[in-house]
Amino acid sequence: MAGSSHGHTPAAWTGVIIAFIGFCVAGAFMVMAQPLGFWAGMAIVVLGGVVGLIMRSMGLGQPKDVHAVPQPRPAVTPEPAGAES
């Protein structure tokens, strides 16, 4: 993952930070047995995903051509020294 710059964009960082805050809010309200606060935290998690997608569509994410997966080259096996075709 380090070679592909996976997630090193403003869109990814912003979306993940907002979602993390939402998980913290939801977890706190779950412990306090407050369902309304829990669902508010889950709404913040969804908001993080939406914000990340909007920022990516604005050009703050990784370009699509960066995600191209390199295809492995076929292995070339040398013929034995005495083999003839």
Side-chain angles (χ1 to χ4, degrees), residues 19-44:
F20 178 73
I21 291 169
F23 276 116
C24 290
V25 168
F29 280 104
M30 184 187 305
V31 171
M32 292 186 285
Q34 299 292 324
L36 186 60
F38 168 78
W39 288 112
M42 289 289 103
I44 294 171

Side-chain angles (χ1 to χ4, degrees), residues 3 5 11 14 25-27 29-30 46-49 53 57 68 73-74 76-77:
S5 296
T14 304
V25 168
F29 280 104
M30 184 187 305
V46 172
L47 178 68
L53 288 173
S57 69
R73 288 188 252 166
V76 178
T77 56

